[in-house]
Amino acid sequence: MTTSTRVHNFCAGPCTLPVSVLEEVRDEILDFDGTGMSIIEASHRAAAYDAVHMNALADFRSLAAVPDDFAILFLQGGASLQFAQVPMNLLAEGETAGYVNTGTWGKKALGDAKKIADVYEAWTDPDGAFDRMPTAGEIEVRDGARYVHLTSNETIGGIRFTDLPSFDVPLVTDMSSDFLSRAIDWDTHDLVYGGAQKNLGPAGLAVVVVRRDRLSPHGRSLASYLDYASHESNDSMSNTPPMFAIYVMGKVLRWMLAEGGLSAFETRAAERASILYGAIDNSDGWYRCPVDEASRSQMNIVFHLPDKDLEKRFVAEAAEAGMVNLKGHRSVGGIRASVYNALPVDSVRTLVEFMDDFRSANG
Ligand SMILES: *Cc1c(COP(=O)(O)O)cnc(C)c1O
């Protein structure tokens, strides 16, 4: 298979990956580094895997500028497990935290945390539209709250905190869908987490970055897999780690470093978003973005056409032209173009040309 057979993949997750990374994986799949086997057949205690694992940890730390007083954990269960595992680890019996309900994912995080601890909803969109992020002043921080939980980017609604708010209380942020596409302010955080499959690699891996002094025992008795401390003390190898996902993510992190690091990806994200929103805004209202301008996501760009039939044809004709996974989430409809780190800016240019042609033909 040559690269010319590849589509422009606007999938909301799992994401498109750099071709150079996929080619390396292909080249190493029968014989990793002279071991005579692939990395997924190797022992996770072997030197070959150990190097892959430790390099991925180090490269993540370097890319995200993670300070030494934070531990980086590679866990299974996706970001979804973190909805429960975060309160299990950060809240002692009787403690509380505020959860900001900004849409599908914020609501899920709140729902699962409620099953673990006595947490509260710190904000929800009063008119139920979930088309904007709240200001810091709108978020309720109760006395005694141990953290405020945010979703930096709502993947389905297509909104993001352009600037994360900060409070006297630390933040815990689900960054699944804009992970390592923007700088992270570690001073305001106790914990950041995300599934790898939106921006960093294949599914099967979540990355949790947690302030080490929050790992101290707090009275809850946790099964060892659920206890962050047991992963931290074993470099996330207390059981068999998701080796293939870590191996591929490690290659993506290397690629990101070689391409200029986090700031280069921040620039690319802004460029992709400005091209796409530009096309929407310059269409005389034919394409319409339903979210508040100040909260527009740079990763998941949602828009509507004048009617549902046109949207259906748009998705079908785009797919014929090699642009796939543009259908909006079933809960909101419309079109969603997910433009993650590894999506070339050229894919966005191709989409925008298609949008102009489609409008001329149907407008
Ligand atoms: C996709 C997503 C999740 C769920 O991730 P899984 O790894 O599938 O559990 C959680 N939060 C956000 C913001 C997401 O985009």
Side-chain angles (χ1 to χ4, degrees), residues 146-167:
R146 293 303 310 268
Y147 61 83
V148 172
H149 181 281
L150 304 174
T151 308
S152 54
N153 182 79
E154 282 285 355
T155 322
I156 292 173
I159 55 175
R160 72 157 186 159
F161 281 103
T162 300
D163 297 297
L164 261 56
S166 67
F167 310 99

Side-chain angles (χ1 to χ4, degrees), residues 77-81 83 105 151 153 155 174 176-177 195 197-198:
S80 296
L81 179 59
F83 297 161
W105 294 112
T151 308
N153 182 79
T155 322
D174 174 2
S176 294
S177 53
Q197 75 276 13
K198 303 269 166 61

